[in-house]
Amino acid sequence: MLSNVEIAKPFVQATLKILDTMAGISATAGKPYIKKDHVATGDVSAIVGVTGDKTGTISVSFTRPCAIALVRGMLGDDIHDVLQDTQDAVGEVTNMVSGQARAGLQTMGITLQGSTPTVIVGDGHTIRHISHSPVVAIPFTSGAGEFTVEFCFE
């Protein structure tokens, strides 16, 4: 059985690659930890449900400054509606991180299918993972701000 640290590796690799490629954001991954509550670490989050060899959820939560930098990195000056564009960008990046991480997990023998991301916005919002297993959180820092990737599988 794979440890949470081993499962975290494809998430770290996918996140670093997607943020750099899609938005020009270079980030550094912190040490994964077990999350103790449901409060999001950021102001804009997206969550993807997964099924297959395991069931659970994957989420990415961005602080406001990082979410805005993400939108600017992806769209440049072509921002029409900051709130809608931010929700779209966070949802799309979460979908891509989920997809690449799931591809990495497949090479480890775990096959998962993902749902369409749901985006949540607001100070102090909560993320309810659908599993009763521990939620693993991976913090990231960048010049644009902080964000966190979480996963929870059973």
Side-chain angles (χ1 to χ4, degrees), residues 10-11 13-15 17-18 95-105:
F11 287 94
Q13 293 167 346
T15 302
K17 182 176 181 181
I18 294 296
N95 193 43
M96 288 187 276
V97 167
S98 167
Q100 279 206 2
R102 286 184 284 120
L105 290 171

Side-chain angles (χ1 to χ4, degrees), residues 97-130:
V97 167
S98 167
Q100 279 206 2
R102 286 184 284 120
L105 290 171
Q106 189 162 9
T107 66
M108 302 164 96
I110 300 171
T111 301
L112 301 171
Q113 294 78 41
S115 68
T116 302
T118 299
V119 180
I120 309 154
V121 179
D123 297 339
H125 67 268
T126 59
I127 300 173
R128 299 270 182 201
H129 292 274
I130 60 172

Side-chain angles (χ1 to χ4, degrees), residues 67-91:
I68 291 170
L70 176 72
V71 172
R72 286 191 200 253
M74 291 175 75
L75 300 178
D77 290 329
D78 195 28
I79 299 171
H80 300 287
D81 179 338
V82 174
L83 182 59
Q84 187 62 52
D85 289 345
T86 300
Q87 291 174 343
D88 291 347
V90 169

Side-chain angles (χ1 to χ4, degrees), residues 10 16 21 31 33 52 56 60 63 73 78 110 127 153:
L16 295 174
T21 302
K31 183 179 177 183
Y33 63 93
V60 184
T63 59
D78 195 28
I110 300 171
I127 300 173
F153 302 132

Side-chain angles (χ1 to χ4, degrees), residues 132-152:
H132 296 293
S133 298
V135 176
V136 177
I138 309 165
F140 290 83
T141 57
S142 74
E146 294 78 38
F147 59 97
T148 304
V149 174
E150 298 175 6
F151 65 87
C152 182

